Amino acid sequence: MPAPIPGVDRRPSDAEIAALNAGIPNQPTHVGIVLAGDRERTGVLGTARPWDWADAIQLVRTIAAALGVAVEVGAPQAPYAPWHPGRTAEVRLESVRRGRELVPGALVAHAGELHPRVARTLGLPPRACAVELDLEPLLTAAADAGVLQVRPVSTFPAAKEDVALVVDESVTAAAVEQVVREAAGDLADEVRLFDVFRGPQLGEGRKSLAFSLRLRAADRTLTAEETAAVRKRVVKRAAKRLGAELRA
């Protein structure tokens, strides 16, 4: 039953405020995630692999682990739209024992592959996956478990720079990547090795390691000058630390 609207001639009483609050429907905070395309891109370490329903479930596990919350994964008790009936899981908080009874934890997510008809209707690639995550039970459980510190996510666009460095064969890709990350500093959103090349034009015992840099600032959109400066720092530091040369 809707609560009566109080007049403006006086402050509403505590009972009227309570009645108004009681009339507000529950509005949980949900997060929706759609996974389509390549989970792992083609590169020196292997061929591309698309996202699958197990990745969607693992994503929920990763979020829960980051919050310090234990969860359990199981099959839904009934088909749940818009997911594929055989490639979907429900994720709950860890069950608790009350006396002799094991009580399931609160439902926090559904994750898996979308139904083929849904993917076609929405114009998504075949076998696209999705996650629907209820943040409230997760955050409540995280708060009960202790203090949680979260790093804010930048809403500013990313910039991209590629750099290919020629180093001695004995220099590992991990060592070069570490130098690249150090030179890029806080702006390094992602550093990825995407090519390894060896050839007579590089000289005997030399190889080229090409890295893709995704750069992002927390408080602004990066300028072309700033991204170029990062590239210069990478080349300079790699030359000083590893004897690297920029591949022409």
Side-chain angles (χ1 to χ4, degrees):
M1 179 177 178
I5 304 300
V8 297
D9 57 327
R10 59 180 176 80
R11 181 187 182 280
S13 67
D14 291 342
E16 289 172 324
I17 293 175
L20 289 170
N21 287 333
I24 298 174
N26 183 35
Q27 302 179 57
T29 302
H30 282 207
V31 174
I33 304 167
V34 175
L35 308 171
D38 289 341
R39 169 67 177 85
E40 297 172 1
R41 289 172 285 182
T42 299
V44 66
L45 300 179
T47 57
R49 180 179 75 80
W51 291 94
D52 61 28
W53 69 288
D55 293 319
I57 297 167
Q58 183 58 40
L59 184 59
V60 180
R61 285 194 176 108
T62 300
I63 293 170
L67 294 170
V69 177
V71 293
E72 297 174 347
V73 176
Q77 297 187 8
Y80 188 77
W83 281 273
H84 188 293
R87 301 186 186 124
T88 308
E90 64 177 28
V91 185
R92 294 180 175 273
L93 296 180
E94 198 171 41
S95 301
V96 294
R97 185 167 294 280
R98 294 176 183 168
R100 296 183 178 180
E101 184 181 5
L102 191 63
V103 180
L107 179 67
V108 297
H110 281 91
E113 184 179 312
L114 292 171
H115 194 284
R117 286 198 300 270
V118 173
R120 285 196 300 270
T121 300
L122 297 179
L124 294 171
R127 308 200 69 169
C129 301
V131 175
E132 183 185 17
L133 186 70
D134 187 350
L135 282 180
E136 294 191 4
L138 274 177
L139 294 177
T140 298
D144 292 342
V147 177
L148 174 67
Q149 294 191 7
V150 179
R151 177 184 173 186
V153 177
S154 174
T155 58
F156 291 91
K160 188 169 182 266
E161 284 282 347
D162 291 343
V163 60
L165 299 168
V166 180
V167 295
D168 288 340
E169 190 67 56
S170 60
V171 177
T172 65
V176 180
E177 180 178 336
Q178 181 179 354
V179 170
V180 173
R181 289 185 180 277
E182 289 176 2
D186 293 339
L187 299 180
D189 199 37
E190 180 187 66
V191 176
R192 183 176 65 89
L193 175 68
F194 70 88
D195 183 61
V196 177
F197 175 78
R198 296 173 176 86
Q201 60 267 53
L202 299 180
E204 188 176 351
R206 303 279 278 176
K207 63 185 176 184
S208 169
L209 302 176
F211 289 87
S212 172
L213 284 71
R214 189 171 63 198
L215 307 172
R216 195 194 308 266
D219 58 351
R220 68 192 185 281
T221 299
L222 293 173
T223 65
E225 291 76 15
E226 286 178 304
T227 59
V230 170
R231 194 172 189 271
K232 288 180 180 178
R233 286 201 304 272
V234 167
V235 174
K236 184 176 180 180
R237 185 167 300 195
K240 182 178 180 180
R241 190 86 62 83
L242 303 171
E245 297 176 354
L246 180 65
R247 182 179 170 188

